[in-house]
Structures are given as structure tokens and as C-alpha cells.
Amino acid sequence: MAMSRVAHFDLHHTRFLDAAGDVVGDLPECARDANVLRTLYRWMVLTREFDTRAVTLQRTGQLGTYPSCLGQEAVGVGLGHAMESRDVFVPSFREQGAQLVRGVTPTELLLYWGGDERGSDFAGPREDFPVNVPIGSQAGHAAGVALAIRLRGEARAVVCALGDGATSKGDFYEAMNMAGTWQLPLVFVVNNNAWAISVPRAAQSAAETLAQKAIAAGFGGEQVDGNDVIAVQHATGQALARARAGGGPSLVEAVTYRLSDHTTADDASRYRPEEEVSAAWQAEPISRLRTFLSDISGWGRDDEEALIAECRSRIDAAASDYLGTPPQPARAMFDYLYAELPAPLRAQYDALAGED
């Protein structure tokens, strides 16, 4: 019997800042500019302030069920900052940081999570997709958008953000297969936050990494420290540059941790040990970058207090705008479904006229 190797692959894990905020490798170009780092830090702080207010609004009955991104700010902000305005973002439901960076307003996000679809009518990134709550179904949408971009010969790319649980879904594998077969300008960013609702990463997949799932689809995958915003921005930026230049798809697995409940309808203490959460707090992304900024550019208490005050003021204004937005009339549920309302629905539509 003759045997020969027919394939092999290597996967790399990238980190530039460790949990203490110390540099552990040669910094990429994007991280050698203190102004860029301060921008990334500002977006992460704003994201956390938004997240805190959204949870408070939900707990007081003023917002619907909400998925916190606490501890995962570096993933959203890093990938959002790596994108260009011409790119298309196809999110999951925990990418508030990326959406804010892309130009979605805090008011729009609050409207959406408050049950008002006007929150999906972004004033900024008009071609970005709305929040996708079903697990993994956005992967096929992203592949379709990327195919359209390739057929048009446009020099732009698509970012599809998913959670680790979505990589166990058929939608994900089908989209990966299409992306590899057709060499689509598509970057999958997997937010591996260790838990798919109450199912730990170890119980979801026997694969040693989630990044290696790209290999079977015919393209490259890599893993980064998802609590290092520099690593996320750098890896995503490189993958996007390749995609725009015709180099095909990529997968970036960002390893982070969900410090919150899965959503405000969840109680993670039922299935997750407290000591695991406490340990994860020691590696969270905001304090890591703050320490580094302090070391290289003298970021101090006055800077921090001014930034927090600025972010809270902006979120306060957004919350006031959201709470002060008059609700749409009940008939609005029909207005965007059909060009011409079918006869069977006309009576229902007319019956609601008196409730406007």
C-alpha cells in the first residue's frame, strides 16, 4: 500500500497586546499611531456606555429583549474600523460596536431593540444589512451580496459577523462552500465568546479551532485574540484587502468572552461558573487598551473622565430621542409588505384606520 500526504495546513493565533496591556509582538502600522489607538478606545468606551444604557432601559420596561456585548467590544470595533465605507456589513445581533463605527446611530439601535423597524433604516451605511437574530441565516445573505459584488466587478468586500454557535449551523457551511467555490470577496468574522446561549464551546464542535473550518471550504482561516482590538483590526483589515483585490474569502476567529447573560431574557448563572466569569474579567479589552494608551501617550484620569462624560452625554441624548419618538400607527405593519395590498388584507388594514 502506498500512502502520501494529500493536504496539510497550519493555523496561527495573533495577539499584539496581552491581558495586562503589554506589547507581545511587533505592532502593525495601524497601531503605531496613538491617534488611531485613541479612536479605537473611544469607540469601545462608547459601545460599553450604549450597552449599559440599553440594559437599563430593558430592565425598566422601556426596551425589548437585548443582547449585551459586554466584554466583546474589541471584536465589533476592530472589524468595523477595518472596513471601508464602500464595504457591506452583514451582522449578527451582538455587533453594536461595529454598527456604531459604521455610522449607525445609537438612536437607531435603540429604536430597533425597542421593536421599531425604523431603526433598521440607517441614515448612514445604507447598504449594510439590519440586525439578524436567527442564528447563522445571515451567512447565506452575505454570500449572495458578495457574489453580486464579484459579478459587477466592484472593488469592495463583505463582512459577515457570526457567533461561535452559528458555526454549527448548515447555513454557515453552505455559505462557506459558496464563498470558497466562487472565490467571493467575503470575510467571515466569528465572535467566539465561549458560549452559544447555554452551550459551551467544547460541546459545540470537536474542531480544535473554529478558524480551521475554513480549510474544508477551500480558503484560509486564522485565530486572533478577540480582546485585543489591534489584532482584530489588523487581521480583518488584511483579509478585506485581499478580498477587494480578488484574493477570495477568509475567516477570522476572534476568541473573546461573553461577560454578560446571553440576552436580558437569560440567566447565565444557571449554567456558568462564577470563577470562569471572574477570570475572564481580567482579560477584558477596554482596560487592556487603556493601560497601553497610558504607557505610550500619557492617557490619564482627566482624559478618561472627559471621554466617559462625552460618551454618556451622547447616549443620554440618544435615549431621549428614542423615548420621545412617537410610535408608528398599527397600520404600519402592512405598509412595507406589498406594493399593492392584497384584497384579503384590505379589511384588516381599514379596520385599523380608527386606531391611528
Side-chain angles (χ1 to χ4, degrees), residues 190-224:
V190 177
N191 181 343
N192 178 1
N193 65 17
W195 290 89
I197 308 182
S198 59
V199 181
R201 160 68 178 88
Q204 296 177 50
S205 174
E208 188 174 357
T209 70
L210 300 179
Q212 72 196 61
K213 296 190 176 189
I215 305 300
F219 56 90
E222 62 179 306
Q223 188 183 85
V224 300

Side-chain angles (χ1 to χ4, degrees), residues 37-53 69-74 76-78 96-97 100-101 106 229 284-291 293 299 303-315:
L37 295 176
R38 288 187 180 214
T39 296
L40 292 170
Y41 185 69
R42 287 174 180 276
W43 281 119
M44 287 201 293
V45 172
L46 180 68
T47 300
R48 186 164 291 187
E49 289 295 332
F50 173 84
D51 198 69
T52 300
R53 176 58 62 86
C69 61
L70 181 65
Q72 299 161 81
E73 296 88 354
V77 169
Q96 295 90 328
L100 290 170
V101 173
V229 70
E284 65 93 9
I286 291 182
S287 62
R288 180 183 306 201
L289 185 56
R290 180 170 60 242
T291 298
L293 280 174
W299 184 269
D303 298 302
E304 186 73 12
E305 291 178 351
L307 174 59
I308 291 175
E310 173 192 327
C311 292
R312 286 182 179 169
S313 177
R314 182 175 176 186
I315 300 305

